[in-house]
Amino acid sequence: MKKILRVLAATAVLASASFAADYTIKMSHVVSAATPKGQAADFFAKRVGELTGGKVEVAVFPNAQLYNDNAVMKALKIGNVHIAVPSFSKFTSLVPAMQLFDLPFLFRDRAHLHAVLDSEVGQILKDQVTAKGFVALDYWDAGFKHFSSSKKPVINPEDAAGQKFRIMSSKVLEAQMKAVNGSVQVLPFSEVYSALQQGVVDGAENPLSNFATKKFNEVQSSLTLSEHGYLGYLVIMSEKFWSKFPDEYKGKVLQAMKEATAFERNLAAEEDAKLLAQMQEYAKSTGKMKIYTLTPEQKAAWAKIMEGIYPQFYETIGEDLIKKAQAVK
Ligand code: SIN
């Protein structure tokens, strides 16, 4: 009997050894695993495993379990984590021109945004990130941002006055809120729920995926479908890690990333519609949050004021780059 058990144990060790990966890629992000970004990170991990026959594994750490977005840049530099998916605003101090994507009302719609990302403009910005010692991979989507508040519904630009909004660390977002006389507090994403709950801030701006998966509806009494700006991501890799990564697997990892990008972009568009229905149902069944849709006139009033900040960023972002993005068909 003992002998049989020993043989079984040895077989188990051998079996697990034959499945053990030779390389582990640590991937960090700050949102829920249920968001399009979270699901795409898991999809990427699965495809890397499949394409490399299990020789390379991707360990995904969601919800800022490892690092928040500021700390992750340093961790990537020294190779403590290998891939991260920060939102565009988180690149502000590294590549200030990335704030292009924070400009309110810059993108006509999702198709225009994708055309810009995939154009010379997207490549110029990737090159700037690469020049800072990272490997710039692909652009991923979250969605158009909406205002929410627990103090007063944000419907007309005047409604922002006297309210404090959580923003990501971006001079453009700061200027955007100043333009409508709102005040701001920069906070990492992991602290937004409690800041809203405790009244440290009155409101925020989020795409539906982040709003719903982090249950911000529990701590906000109004949501305005303002679509005043866009939230997206650049997937980046540690140059230190990639330069030592074996060539034989590089193509497979890049292939998995390409597939994950297509998966992510489709999912982000699909989920937006589903989450809106979910939030509408929540609003109706609980009566705890009201959802507002802007009339074209109200939207135009927001755009007129907020677009007024563009010239302030002609130098940091580049007037040319802004005009190029606007001109993309
Ligand atoms: C994210 O989607 O990665 C977080 C965005 C935020 O900080 O609001």
Side-chain angles (χ1 to χ4, degrees), residues 29-31 37 69 85-87 90 142 166 168 187-190 192 205-207 210 231 233:
H29 66 83
V30 301
V31 294
K37 172 161 81 172
D69 279 325
V85 198
S87 61
K90 314 281 169 64
R166 176 270 170 170
M168 294 177 281
L187 289 171
F189 187 66
S190 52
V192 178
E205 47 160 22
N206 282 286
N210 284 352
L231 185 98
Y233 310 107

Side-chain angles (χ1 to χ4, degrees), residues 36-142:
K37 172 161 81 172
Q39 292 189 54
D42 293 343
F43 175 96
F44 170 69
K46 182 169 157 278
R47 288 299 290 138
V48 167
E50 286 166 359
L51 290 169
T52 63
K55 294 294 178 200
V56 180
E57 69 168 4
V58 178
V60 181
F61 299 88
N63 292 313
Q65 269 168 20
L66 279 191
Y67 300 101
N68 71 30
D69 279 325
N70 297 332
V72 87
M73 298 292 189
K74 284 188 200 115
L76 281 164
K77 267 269 170 199
I78 53 178
N80 280 358
V81 69
H82 311 129
I83 298 185
V85 198
S87 61
F88 297 136
S89 320
K90 314 281 169 64
F91 288 87
T92 297
S93 54
L94 190 74
V95 175
M98 282 289 271
Q99 290 173 103
L100 171 86
F101 297 114
D102 290 336
L103 286 172
F105 296 99
L106 181 68
F107 302 109
R108 296 186 291 275
D109 50 30
R110 205 177 275 264
H112 177 217
L113 166 90
H114 286 159
V116 173
L117 293 176
D118 298 336
S119 75
E120 186 198 354
V121 174
Q123 192 54 49
I124 290 170
L125 291 167
K126 274 188 185 175
D127 291 347
Q128 292 189 20
V129 172
T130 305
K132 295 287 173 173
F134 297 92
V135 181
L137 295 169
D138 281 354
Y139 290 113
W140 287 6
D141 281 336

Side-chain angles (χ1 to χ4, degrees), residues 13-319:
V13 169
L14 274 179
S16 72
S18 66
F19 286 121
D22 293 341
Y23 299 92
T24 300
I25 300 177
K26 285 202 268 174
M27 182 169 187
S28 167
H29 66 83
V30 301
V31 294
S32 156
T35 56
K37 172 161 81 172
Q39 292 189 54
D42 293 343
F43 175 96
F44 170 69
K46 182 169 157 278
R47 288 299 290 138
V48 167
E50 286 166 359
L51 290 169
T52 63
K55 294 294 178 200
V56 180
E57 69 168 4
V58 178
V60 181
F61 299 88
N63 292 313
Q65 269 168 20
L66 279 191
Y67 300 101
N68 71 30
D69 279 325
N70 297 332
V72 87
M73 298 292 189
K74 284 188 200 115
L76 281 164
K77 267 269 170 199
I78 53 178
N80 280 358
V81 69
H82 311 129
I83 298 185
V85 198
S87 61
F88 297 136
S89 320
K90 314 281 169 64
F91 288 87
T92 297
S93 54
L94 190 74
V95 175
M98 282 289 271
Q99 290 173 103
L100 171 86
F101 297 114
D102 290 336
L103 286 172
F105 296 99
L106 181 68
F107 302 109
R108 296 186 291 275
D109 50 30
R110 205 177 275 264
H112 177 217
L113 166 90
H114 286 159
V116 173
L117 293 176
D118 298 336
S119 75
E120 186 198 354
V121 174
Q123 192 54 49
I124 290 170
L125 291 167
K126 274 188 185 175
D127 291 347
Q128 292 189 20
V129 172
T130 305
K132 295 287 173 173
F134 297 92
V135 181
L137 295 169
D138 281 354
Y139 290 113
W140 287 6
D141 281 336
F144 282 95
K145 291 180 291 184
H146 307 289
F147 285 121
S148 62
S149 172
S150 59
K151 190 170 186 179
K152 181 183 178 194
V154 186
I155 301 167
N156 297 299
E158 306 83 78
D159 298 326
Q163 299 210 51
K164 188 182 261 190
F165 294 87
R166 176 270 170 170
I167 56 163
M168 294 177 281
S169 171
S170 154
K171 295 288 169 216
V172 167
L173 298 180
E174 217 174 297
Q176 160 199 285
M177 298 318 299
K178 246 197 193 155
V180 288
N181 299 311
S183 59
V184 295
Q185 176 135 358
V186 173
L187 289 171
F189 187 66
S190 52
E191 290 173 27
V192 178
Y193 184 96
S194 62
L196 290 171
Q197 187 179 39
Q198 289 162 18
V200 173
V201 289
D202 304 304
E205 47 160 22
N206 282 286
L208 286 169
S209 56
N210 284 352
F211 187 85
T213 54
K214 284 293 174 190
K215 299 190 177 6
F216 293 160
N217 49 298
E218 293 175 353
V219 286
Q220 294 281 261
S221 52
S222 69
L223 170 68
T224 305
L225 304 174
S226 48
E227 297 185 319
H228 60 279
Y230 201 80
L231 185 98
Y233 310 107
L234 177 59
V235 188
I236 52 173
M237 180 136 61
S238 163
E239 160 65 32
K240 188 169 177 197
F241 171 77
W242 194 237
S243 61
K244 299 204 180 86
F245 194 72
D247 285 339
E248 63 176 306
Y249 297 126
K250 277 187 173 167
K252 296 190 181 349
V253 170
L254 295 178
Q255 170 65 26
M257 180 52 62
K258 201 168 152 212
E259 292 177 24
T261 300
F263 171 86
E264 206 273 348
R265 286 187 180 186
N266 282 335
L267 192 65
E270 273 172 33
E271 292 276 290
D272 234 29
K274 276 193 212 149
L275 291 169
L276 178 57
Q278 194 180 308
M279 286 297 101
Q280 279 164 337
E281 176 50 35
Y282 169 85
K284 200 166 139 207
S285 62
T286 65
K288 287 187 180 160
M289 183 180 75
K290 212 157 179 268
I291 301 180
Y292 297 88
T293 306
L294 298 181
T295 63
E297 293 74 27
Q298 284 166 333
K299 207 160 177 186
W302 282 98
K304 189 163 177 234
I305 299 177
M306 288 187 155
E307 284 170 8
I309 69 165
Y310 287 20
Q312 287 178 48
F313 295 95
Y314 281 170
E315 207 168 310
T316 345
I317 296 174
E319 185 175 355

